[in-house]
Amino acid sequence: MGARDVFSGGVAVITGAGAGIGAGLARHASRLGMTVVIADVDADAAARLRDELVAAGGSAHAHGCDVRDPEAVTDLAERTHRDVGNVRLLVNNAGVEQFGYLWDTPLANWNRVVDVNINGVFHGVRAFLPMMLKSPEQSWVWNLSSIGGVAVVPLQAPYIMSKHAVLALTECLRLEVELAGHDHHVHVQAVLPGAVVSNIFESAGGVSDGDVAAAESQRTAMLDIKAEAMDPIAAAEVVFEQAAANRFYLLTQPEYVGSAMTERATTLATQRPPILRTKKRFEPAEH
């Protein structure tokens, strides 16, 4: 079955949906016939996308939501179930970047990455999954890792660490849902985007002390890949089709991301140390 057969109808909740791959996933979910709940810390961006989807004939709702706040995420879950309906697709997508040497990284910037990229996923799972487990409907949980979740990149350690963590969390969550006997109707999947157009690098944290030039040079290098980055809607189409085929690892660019996965596996199998590249072969995803 294709994505339309599997996902048409029902409610999709997407965090960080105001821009980037989150917005692409929201637009494509709407095209598939889903009611989309657009959640973003930028409430105005969420509202603009809601208006766009409604104007195109879709059903959409917008909520300002900071995924760092567990009470805000719980409120989003309760309001969605009460006012919109049972959630068939939860996409924990919200994410932020950080550049600079790890020892130069401000504590506040480190905490921001951890709170958004890791804790935000946990808050989403904790708020939504219990209600999804109780429903007999087929439902899906997608957590956004990244090609950075299977790669190592200097000067982006907080982001890379967070995406490795999200991937491990998702793999463990899949096993826990199976252990609890719910895997027949709740499907847990990990999304690993390659380079997808967004503004994540422009809004990324940097450093104020230490080697500022190194941090900003890395930002520039990441911005340079945007010319070849994938369109968010095209990325969403690929992800939905792979999810409908019951894949666990959902790759926006299967060959590109898959080669990074192979290299990571080889590194671990051979137990060789990470290799510093003057020109990075694998850049972390924009979303």
Side-chain angles (χ1 to χ4, degrees):
M1 291 190 295
R4 185 172 298 278
D5 300 311
V6 173
F7 291 102
S8 181
V11 177
V13 177
I14 305 171
T15 67
I21 194 172
L25 291 167
R27 289 185 173 102
H28 193 58
S30 182
R31 292 177 181 180
L32 293 175
M34 303 193 80
T35 295
V36 184
V37 176
I38 303 157
D40 200 284
V41 69
D42 185 342
D44 292 338
R48 287 193 297 272
L49 182 54
R50 174 203 60 204
D51 293 346
E52 173 193 320
L53 299 184
V54 170
S59 175
H61 304 262
H63 294 282
C65 181
D66 186 341
V67 298
R68 296 175 295 183
D69 181 352
E71 293 183 1
V73 180
T74 297
D75 179 66
L76 174 66
E78 292 175 348
R79 291 169 64 185
T80 298
H81 280 269
R82 182 185 68 237
D83 301 335
V84 186
N86 291 335
V87 175
R88 292 192 62 229
L89 174 61
L90 169 66
V91 184
N92 290 307
N93 165 73
V96 295
E97 252 281 18
Q98 170 64 35
F99 296 116
Y101 285 111
L102 188 60
W103 53 87
D104 290 338
T105 301
L107 179 59
N109 292 22
W110 170 268
N111 288 338
R112 175 174 177 254
V113 171
V114 171
D115 285 344
V116 175
N117 295 10
I118 302 176
N119 292 345
V121 174
F122 169 66
H123 296 154
V125 169
R126 190 167 179 269
F128 283 90
L129 188 55
M131 289 182 277
M132 297 170 76
L133 295 175
K134 291 177 182 178
S135 171
E137 291 183 284
Q138 294 287 308
S139 59
W140 288 260
V141 176
W142 296 354
N143 295 332
L144 269 286
S145 180
S146 164
I147 190 173
V150 293
V152 290
V153 182
L155 299 169
Q156 293 174 241
Y159 177 84
I160 297 297
M161 173 279 303
S162 73
K163 293 306 180 178
H164 277 253
V166 170
L167 183 56
L169 180 155
T170 308
E171 291 168 332
C172 292
L173 180 63
R174 181 182 177 94
L175 296 179
E176 291 186 4
V177 168
E178 181 180 355
L179 180 64
H182 296 289
D183 57 308
H184 61 285
H185 75 284
V186 177
H187 310 279
V188 177
Q189 295 166 314
V191 184
L192 283 77
V196 176
V197 174
S198 81
N199 294 320
I200 190 172
F201 295 145
E202 289 91 337
S203 61
V207 302
S208 54
D209 296 311
D211 198 335
V212 176
E216 293 310 308
S217 176
Q218 185 68 5
R219 187 195 305 272
T220 299
M222 293 296 98
L223 288 171
D224 287 344
I225 74 170
K226 290 188 71 171
E228 300 178 0
M230 192 174 189
D231 175 79
I233 295 180
E237 291 173 352
V238 173
V239 168
F240 270 96
E241 289 298 333
Q242 290 180 356
N246 204 29
R247 297 275 298 272
F248 174 72
Y249 299 103
L250 310 180
L251 317 179
T252 57
Q253 297 106 313
E255 183 176 350
Y256 167 56
V257 180
S259 62
M261 298 173 80
T262 299
E263 178 161 324
R264 178 64 176 166
T266 299
T267 297
L268 295 175
T270 59
Q271 300 183 40
R272 66 168 172 78
I275 297 173
L276 180 63
R277 302 177 186 277
T278 56
K279 183 177 181 180
K280 291 171 292 300
R281 183 178 173 191
F282 304 118
E283 293 91 352
E286 296 184 62
H287 74 270

